[in-house]
Amino acid sequence: MTPVLSIALTSDGQTQPLGTLQPMWFAAEQKVNAIASATLLLSSEGNSLQIVSRCDADIGLCRPGNAISISIDGVEGKPTLIFSGVVVEQALELRLNKVQLTLKLRHALASLESTCHSQVFADMSPQEIVGRFLREQDIACVDTAAMTAKH
């Protein structure tokens, strides 16, 4: 059985599936001490000038800043999450016989790169500081047991 990618995009707080565009290629990259990233190629076959108008809704869903979850059908049809993050870049390519939309994705932690770097945290533990940053970005904090020192 061929594995099937399922894509869920969140726009304005509502999760929606893709309509016209279909996943053709996906690659994820995870490095030590780096934020996970991925590239997703979506495509639809046919005359690109006729198809592009039908793809408008999908292209709008894939705009930078929108959340995206990519799953693969696993054992017994249960989906397995393989990447979750946000769209950071979008490139549309019209070819003679198809429309291609390439998305660059990054984990939600990427949003922390654009925060103010000069901040003072008096009387706060590392656990409280990390928790505050993650809450501001709506990211779940999994384990902070080792962060108990006060500064």
Side-chain angles (χ1 to χ4, degrees):
M1 186 171 150
T2 305
V4 177
L5 282 179
S6 58
I7 314 289
L9 291 137
T10 304
S11 177
D12 300 325
Q14 295 182 354
T15 302
Q16 301 174 29
L18 290 170
T20 306
L21 295 171
Q22 298 301 313
M24 301 308 268
W25 182 80
F26 174 76
E29 186 175 292
Q30 176 64 57
K31 296 179 182 176
V32 174
N33 295 330
I35 296 173
S37 63
T39 303
L40 175 65
L41 175 66
L42 302 170
S43 182
S44 186
E45 297 291 326
N47 183 325
S48 63
L49 296 176
Q50 294 172 350
I51 293 173
V52 74
S53 62
R54 288 185 284 164
C55 297
D56 281 349
D58 286 350
I59 294 168
L61 278 175
C62 298
R63 70 180 177 268
N66 282 356
I68 186 167
S69 296
I70 301 171
S71 301
I72 190 165
D73 288 345
V75 180
E76 300 171 10
K78 270 186 158 176
T80 302
L81 182 67
I82 56 175
F83 189 85
S84 181
V86 293
V87 178
V88 294
E89 187 179 323
Q90 176 191 65
L92 179 65
E93 188 176 337
L94 301 176
R95 294 191 176 194
L96 184 61
N97 60 345
K98 64 183 159 185
V99 172
Q100 287 186 329
L101 184 65
T102 304
L103 303 176
K104 302 284 185 185
L105 316 170
R106 301 228 21 223
H107 188 276
L109 286 172
S111 60
L112 291 175
E113 290 180 332
S114 62
T115 61
C116 180
H117 292 281
S118 299
Q119 296 183 34
V120 177
F121 300 99
D123 299 322
M124 291 178 76
S125 69
Q127 182 178 15
E128 294 166 331
I129 296 167
V130 169
R132 178 177 148 199
F133 276 124
L134 294 178
R135 275 191 307 280
E136 287 173 358
Q137 302 303 321
D138 291 328
I139 300 171
C141 188
V142 180
D143 184 16
T144 59
M147 298 187 232
T148 56
K150 279 258 187 187
H151 299 279

